[in-house]
Amino acid sequence: MSDFHRFSLPLGLLVSFATAIDVVAAPPSWPEFQNGGQAVAAEVNLPTHWAPDQNIAWTADIVGYGQSAPIVAHDQIVVTSTSGENKDDYHVSAYAFASGDLRWQVDLKNPSPFKNTPMVSRAAPTAIATDTGYIAFFEGGALIALSPEGKTLWQKDLVAEYGKIEARHGLSASLEQNNDLVFVWVERGEEPYILAFNKTDGEVVWKAPGVGSTSWASPRLIPVGSSHHLVCSASGKIVGLDPASGDRLWEFSDISNNTSCTPMPVGDGQFLIGASDGRGETAAGAAAASNGLIEISKGEDGKFTAAYKWQAKKATSTFGSPVVAGDTAAIVNRTGVLYRLDLQTGDQVSIARTAAGGIWATPIVAGDRIYLFGNKGTTSVVSLTDGKEIASNRCWDAEAESGEGVRSGSVLYAAAAASPYLVLRRGDKLYAISAGDE
């Protein structure tokens, strides 16, 4: 079985209703954004407490700046970043998992230079790990496949092949994959598209129209019966594609404010979706009903439809997607309030304000705890047993309230769990946290 073979069987009580990627052949591994839609760190003993001088195994500087999540595979941590006044250069960097030492760095020219500011995406799409190495995509249109040693296997310039990429605030869609294909979603302002490439040689298998609406979410494979649908969520619309052909199988439009959250698998034909409560969105105040559980069904005519199984009453999201936490859905709003809703009914199980504040990263579930990664650097650890906050932790000293943190790079964008570390990524730095002396 492939190290990165996707399957749709439950992983037990901890991740009931979740879809996972089997990576047992080559641990430690966190091979793509949100761990392939799982966002659950089963059998990983994550630390509960840390501070700038406690339980940080190593740190590593990242060239330039980036917003993508770290991926872990082939005994390395790989991140992407960009540098230059106009995001002139892109970088793929690999660090030794055990020590954080830089093993190699590959630099690429940006096909679509654009002013390097906090108002646009900066190396936001997350790469994927494959059996033969890594594939990285950048919002400027650069796509590259690399070996575990950093050698180029194949490379594409999507601007040269498909034209300019212009999108409001840039692109953020991370890569998605199955056994054979890597999926690239370019939801640009005009003539958006989705591509499926052969992972081995970079040949295009199919090209399909994009959603046609603003999005900073990522495509996600959702198990439906014996196959999967490639699901893409953009403002006011969600679509499901056949990953083998790119044919559109269904559309869902009973939703709004869903520009940022990626669909999260919840077993056969179901996924969680999140929507914000108005920060940069339209129709603020009605977003709770757009947070919920959507179910894909096949009618007697053989056609697929999608509809809510339940909708939230109060819970809203920000940039962090809802996740499966035991038998609940966990949703965090822009002020750091954690809502837990019954996964089957949507009934509210608990509500608690956390120290994390607003989150830009997807939470991670580990055992009976959930980790909330506040964008200002505070991580809250919350018990799934009683809903209480166990600890709030930081890797660096809190920035002044003037907003200097955003300008200097001290924004916590993402995390990955791979035993024995919890790896945090801010714009310019990696932190590997271990259980240490707990």
Side-chain angles (χ1 to χ4, degrees):
M1 179 179 289
S2 166
D3 291 352
F4 301 97
H5 177 71
R6 182 180 300 278
F7 67 102
S8 57
L9 296 177
L11 289 180
L13 293 178
L14 171 65
V15 292
S16 293
F17 317 108
T19 300
I21 290 179
D22 182 2
V23 291
V24 296
S29 190
W30 190 275
E32 61 179 286
F33 180 59
Q34 298 177 338
N35 198 20
Q38 186 185 347
V40 172
E43 301 179 5
V44 177
N45 181 28
L46 295 186
T48 304
H49 299 84
W50 62 89
D53 59 352
Q54 178 189 5
N55 289 346
I56 297 180
W58 55 258
T59 65
D61 293 331
I62 298 173
V63 63
Y65 192 96
Q67 298 165 314
S68 59
I71 59 172
V72 185
H74 306 296
D75 200 32
Q76 298 177 126
I77 298 173
V78 169
V79 296
T80 59
S81 57
T82 185
S83 62
E85 184 177 352
N86 294 301
K87 300 197 298 182
D88 305 283
D89 299 294
Y90 287 133
H91 316 282
V92 184
S93 304
Y95 301 83
F97 182 76
S99 65
D101 294 336
L102 181 65
R103 284 186 171 171
W104 51 262
Q105 179 180 307
V106 173
D107 305 316
L108 305 88
K109 284 297 179 183
N110 182 359
S112 304
F114 196 88
K115 184 68 175 177
N116 193 347
T117 76
M119 300 306 295
V120 298
S121 58
R122 293 184 280 178
T126 298
I128 60 169
T130 70
D131 290 334
T132 57
Y134 314 94
I135 302 175
F137 172 62
F138 296 91
E139 64 272 12
L143 180 69
I144 188 169
L146 300 164
S147 73
E149 297 74 35
K151 303 298 183 182
T152 299
L153 302 176
W154 53 264
Q155 188 172 350
K156 301 287 182 180
D157 179 345
L158 301 191
V159 174
E161 296 188 37
Y162 303 106
K164 292 179 61 176
I165 296 176
E166 295 181 346
R168 179 187 171 198
H169 301 305
L171 302 178
S172 297
S174 297
L175 298 178
E176 175 63 303
Q177 66 174 325
N178 61 18
N179 284 347
D180 303 313
L181 306 177
V182 55
F183 304 99
V184 184
W185 181 17
V186 181
E187 191 64 28
R188 60 186 178 183
E190 296 183 3
E191 297 183 350
Y193 58 88
I194 304 166
L195 292 166
F197 290 90
N198 185 296
K199 291 196 292 187
T200 301
D201 57 19
E203 291 300 310
V204 176
V205 176
W206 54 257
K207 178 176 181 284
V211 181
S213 189
T214 301
S215 179
W216 300 285
S218 298
R220 179 63 66 218
L221 285 168
I222 304 296
V224 181
S226 60
S227 62
H228 290 79
H229 292 183
L230 184 68
V231 178
C232 299
S233 174
S235 182
K237 185 185 291 186
I238 306 175
V239 303
L241 307 181
D242 181 344
S245 65
D247 293 339
R248 189 167 294 194
L249 302 173
W250 53 266
E251 295 185 9
F252 177 77
S253 58
D254 186 19
I255 194 167
S256 62
N257 297 0
N258 57 309
T259 58
S260 301
C261 294
T262 296
M264 187 65 67
V266 187
D268 186 10
Q270 296 182 347
F271 61 91
L272 292 171
I273 194 64
S276 82
D277 60 355
R279 179 167 290 185
E281 297 280 6
T282 60
S290 289
N291 289 262
L293 181 66
I294 293 178
E295 187 167 43
I296 304 166
S297 302
K298 188 175 185 179
E300 294 182 358
D301 58 359
K303 296 181 179 180
F304 291 96
T305 58
Y308 282 112
K309 184 174 180 181
W310 55 258
Q311 295 166 267
K313 295 179 176 62
K314 296 181 179 179
T316 57
S317 303
T318 47
F319 299 127
S321 302
V323 297
V324 175
D327 57 0
T328 67
I331 300 174
V332 184
N333 74 8
R334 63 174 174 165
T335 63
V337 175
L338 170 63
Y339 292 86
R340 292 180 61 213
L341 311 178
D342 184 278
L343 198 55
Q344 292 301 302
T345 65
D347 293 338
Q348 185 170 296
V349 174
S350 65
I351 179 174
R353 184 174 298 276
T354 68
I359 64 170
W360 291 2
T362 302
I364 290 178
V365 175
D368 62 353
R369 303 185 299 275
I370 184 170
Y371 290 68
L372 312 181
F373 307 100
N375 64 286
K376 294 182 179 180
T378 297
T379 297
S380 292
V381 185
V382 179
S383 169
L384 295 176
T385 303
D386 58 16
K388 294 182 178 179
E389 188 164 353
I390 298 170
S392 60
N393 311 288
R394 294 189 62 89
C395 290
W396 62 90
D397 293 333
E399 299 286 343
E401 293 299 321
S402 63
E404 287 298 319
V406 173
R407 290 197 289 271
S408 67
S410 299
V411 175
L412 179 52
Y413 285 108
S419 185
Y421 299 135
L422 174 64
V423 181
L424 302 187
R425 192 260 166 91
R426 74 179 198 183
D428 58 355
K429 205 174 189 71
L430 282 175
Y431 296 84
I433 306 164
S434 65
D437 55 7
E438 290 189 13

